[in-house]
Amino acid sequence: MGIFSRLKSLFCRREPLRLGLALGSGGAKGMAHLGVLKAFEEAGLSFSVIAGSSIGAIVGALYAKGFSSADMVGIVEGLNRREFSRNLRPFADMDFAERFLEQYLEGDFSALPLPFAACATDGETNSAVVLREGPVARALTASAAIPPFFRGVDLNGRRLYDGAFTDAVPADVCKEMGADFTVGVDLSAHARPEEEKSRISRLIGTAINAFVPVRYTEDCKSRGYASADFMLKPNLHDFHATDVSRAAMDAMFELGYSEAKGHMEEIFAAMKEAQRASRKRR
């Protein structure tokens, strides 16, 4: 290679995009996240910045720690579903979940190999809270403490609840952490509309909401969509956040996998366009 070719190669070198991954809330529907991760692994796509809400925070923390999708499937398979179901009672304590998570995510955020944020909701102000320091397992329980199943988690002088109420797919947090291009995964994009629910279901939902200390904000979904460069939306219409049967979880995994696999070319094309735009701005 001649000197001019070397100089051209040096000064025209492309800086890789810093990729962010925003994993949304959804309880047991989080199995779809693992399917999405498997598709990314097969495509050779890895992420540098991770943010998540609720189950998305748990999966995101495991990813930031270095666990593969297969590792996470193994963790799920080792979970005692019967014991977990016993803890699904009104305003249960999250200590059991924290002890379980500490087996895989012991220590503070600073020990994670990748930058990671868990999103929660302040029980007093109903505002979004971004957690990036302190014990990881405790932060994850705060991010996943959805009433009326669980009571809030006390952390840093605040009582925190599920991040879904204020930032369900936190792509905006990824951008704030320095991501150039962010892929979001929305597990509730195909949720059953209120008018399709039975009258009894609607009445039960209204009764439950009367006892819930936090409320969904108007921008709890839109803020993530506004910041995501690409949003994956696996069709989980037929599943609930509490579907923990083996058949349901296997099906949700496959739906996440096929959603990501089916859009992989579009994702790479969008990344290429973002790279091109980034070079023009320099």
Side-chain angles (χ1 to χ4, degrees):
M1 182 184 291
I3 185 169
F4 291 109
S5 296
R6 290 179 182 274
L7 287 171
K8 182 179 179 181
S9 175
L10 176 64
F11 288 106
C12 296
R13 185 177 299 160
R14 297 181 181 181
E15 294 184 14
L17 291 174
R18 196 171 191 218
L19 302 182
L21 180 62
L23 299 175
S25 59
K29 294 180 184 180
M31 280 301 295
H33 283 324
L34 307 191
V36 167
L37 292 179
K38 180 185 177 183
F40 286 151
E41 291 164 0
E42 291 179 351
L45 193 60
S46 58
F47 297 85
S48 301
V49 175
I50 320 295
S53 285
S54 197
I55 188 61
I58 294 172
V59 173
L62 290 167
Y63 182 95
K65 181 75 171 181
F67 287 91
S68 68
S69 61
D71 294 332
M72 295 183 215
V73 169
I75 292 172
V76 173
E77 290 178 345
L79 179 65
N80 188 326
R81 291 183 178 85
R82 183 173 297 176
E83 179 182 352
F84 179 81
S85 297
R86 280 202 300 266
N87 284 286
L88 288 178
R89 60 185 187 276
F91 298 104
D93 197 286
M94 291 289 280
D95 287 350
F96 80 98
E98 185 173 354
R99 290 192 298 271
F100 176 79
L101 291 168
E102 282 178 339
Q103 298 176 63
Y104 308 98
L105 294 160
E106 183 180 11
D108 290 359
F109 279 75
S110 58
L112 294 174
L114 294 176
F116 166 70
C119 298
T121 300
D122 189 306
E124 182 176 348
T125 64
N126 209 97
S127 58
V129 178
V130 179
L131 302 171
R132 294 198 60 195
E133 60 183 21
V136 176
R138 171 57 65 88
L140 297 181
T141 60
S143 181
I146 184 164
F149 296 114
F150 304 113
R151 68 179 64 177
V153 174
D154 293 326
L155 185 62
N156 300 327
R158 293 180 291 193
R159 174 150 288 198
L160 302 180
Y161 293 88
D162 199 296
F165 289 97
T166 48
D167 202 350
V169 190
D172 56 316
V173 176
C174 285
K175 289 298 178 71
E176 291 168 3
M177 294 166 66
D180 301 309
F181 184 97
T182 297
V183 177
V185 185
D186 183 3
L187 302 180
S188 303
H190 298 275
R192 184 174 283 107
E194 194 68 23
E195 58 270 18
E196 288 186 14
K197 297 179 182 178
S198 68
R199 182 171 179 272
I200 293 177
S201 294
R202 293 198 298 270
L203 287 173
I204 292 174
T206 301
I208 288 175
N209 287 337
F211 296 97
V212 172
V214 284
R215 295 288 183 269
Y216 289 101
T217 60
E218 290 186 2
D219 65 345
C220 66
K221 287 283 285 288
S222 60
R223 62 191 297 173
Y225 270 77
S227 296
D229 297 284
F230 201 97
M231 186 68 74
L232 292 171
K233 297 174 280 189
N235 191 344
L236 304 171
H237 176 274
D238 295 328
F239 300 94
H240 300 283
T242 54
D243 284 340
V244 295
S245 71
R246 181 60 182 267
M249 298 183 89
D250 287 347
M252 290 186 285
F253 179 95
E254 290 302 324
L255 286 167
Y257 176 79
S258 60
E259 171 73 4
K261 196 81 170 175
H263 289 91
M264 201 61 69
E265 289 187 10
E266 295 174 63
I267 292 172
F268 276 105
M271 288 169 53
K272 186 176 181 180
E273 182 59 34
Q275 182 78 72
R276 187 181 297 114
S278 177
R279 291 201 304 274
K280 287 182 179 179
R281 288 195 296 267
R282 294 193 183 107

